[in-house]
Amino acid sequence: MKAMKTALFSLFFLIITAASFSAYAANVITIENECVTVEDVFPGIGIKDQVFCGLDYGETRKLSVQLATHIINKYNIKAAPGEAYFNRRGKKIQMSEIEAKIYDRLSQIYPNAEIQIEKVRIQSDIYTDDSGRFSIDISNPRIGGMYGRLNNGFKEVGFTVYVKGFIEVFVTTDRIRKGDLIANNIKVEKVDLSRLRGEPITNPEGLIAVRGLGAGVPITSEYVSEQPDLPEGAAV
């Protein structure tokens, strides 16, 4: 009887010991780096070899029973294999933060315009490190549809964005013939930037139309030039 009790106690001790070195069972373990190590899988084992790498911020990846078994056999670990999930710590990037970055970038290009971000298409649930830092790059910054990339410090993610912009410019109020002064037939109006062809003028005085213009046309440098000086002795 005493020998049986001793055997049962020894078996119980082995089970408890093995459990303490088992791969985590179906719970999510948070790690700081992109690589999962043997130490992460079997806490206290003291082996820092990498099991797998490439975890993005906020990404969760599964450690299968088969992989846990492989690690156990490779390192001769006295433990029971189990299934586990490992998550790399990260801070979620909010859509409002992405829109703010895009707005700041376009505001540098169009400092006098009213920018409206209509739609951003990007994968959901993008994370960065705990500082929350990330950057964006827009390959063709302009009003309308654009393509860009977001860098979270680990990888780049593509996105598309549609933007509207409005600016106050001089607009024709009536039809203006080629060669006519424009100053008496214009007013200031807020227009969509996509309607502009060239740079808006800032001072209409002394400018003439280089082509016939209808009413409601935003005046840019493409449509006007300075009035030429009259030849000496010419009638006014």
Side-chain angles (χ1 to χ4, degrees):
M1 180 64 71
K2 183 177 181 181
M4 184 177 294
K5 288 183 178 180
T6 302
L8 288 173
F9 177 81
S10 298
L11 179 61
F12 176 75
F13 177 78
L14 288 173
I15 292 172
I16 295 299
T17 303
S20 66
F21 284 96
S22 296
Y24 289 105
N27 49 346
V28 178
I29 310 305
T30 300
I31 61 173
E32 300 293 334
N33 303 308
E34 66 169 289
C35 295
V36 173
T37 68
V38 177
E39 173 70 19
D40 294 322
V41 180
F42 299 99
I45 201 73
I47 301 173
K48 302 296 185 180
D49 293 356
Q50 296 172 353
V51 177
F52 55 79
C53 293
L55 263 71
D56 191 7
Y57 294 110
E59 180 183 356
T60 298
R61 193 175 299 180
K62 175 182 175 181
L63 175 83
S64 66
V65 174
Q66 291 81 359
L67 182 53
T69 302
H70 170 75
I71 297 169
I72 289 170
N73 293 335
K74 179 179 179 180
Y75 295 97
N76 195 27
I77 300 172
K78 304 299 182 183
E83 188 177 88
Y85 294 85
F86 290 88
N87 172 265
R88 185 180 182 185
R89 184 189 302 277
K91 180 180 179 182
K92 186 175 180 179
I93 301 174
Q94 303 298 323
M95 181 59 72
S96 59
E97 297 176 280
I98 298 173
E99 291 177 347
K101 290 270 189 183
I102 296 171
Y103 181 88
D104 289 344
R105 178 74 178 91
L106 293 177
S107 293
Q108 295 172 8
I109 301 171
Y110 304 103
N112 299 316
E114 176 187 318
I115 303 296
Q116 296 179 3
I117 298 174
E118 294 290 300
K119 183 69 175 179
V120 179
R121 295 187 181 277
I122 191 170
Q123 75 174 59
S124 59
D125 298 336
I126 303 175
Y127 290 76
T128 184
D129 63 18
D130 289 342
S131 71
R133 289 191 298 267
F134 69 96
S135 62
I136 65 164
D137 178 66
I138 301 175
S139 56
N140 58 337
R142 58 186 174 85
I143 298 302
M146 292 172 286
Y147 175 79
R149 302 193 70 80
L150 180 151
N151 190 320
N152 70 344
F154 180 76
K155 68 178 183 181
E156 290 189 340
V157 180
F159 67 85
T160 58
V161 56
Y162 185 80
V163 175
K164 287 185 177 180
F166 300 88
I167 190 170
E168 288 190 342
V169 299
F170 291 106
V171 177
T172 57
T173 55
D174 297 294
R175 184 174 181 82
I176 301 177
R177 295 177 301 176
K178 179 180 177 180
D180 285 352
L181 289 167
I182 68 168
N184 294 327
N185 295 288
I186 58 174
K187 66 177 180 179
V188 175
E189 188 175 297
K190 185 182 291 186
V191 301
D192 192 322
L193 277 168
S194 63
R195 294 179 56 195
L196 299 185
R197 299 293 180 267
E199 290 295 319
I201 64 170
T202 57
N203 183 3
E205 295 300 324
L207 298 180
I208 62 172
V210 298
R211 66 185 70 175
L213 300 173
V217 177
I219 302 298
T220 67
S221 56
E222 183 176 327
Y223 299 136
V224 295
S225 67
E226 291 186 4
Q227 183 181 28
D229 294 330
L230 291 175
E232 187 175 348
V236 179

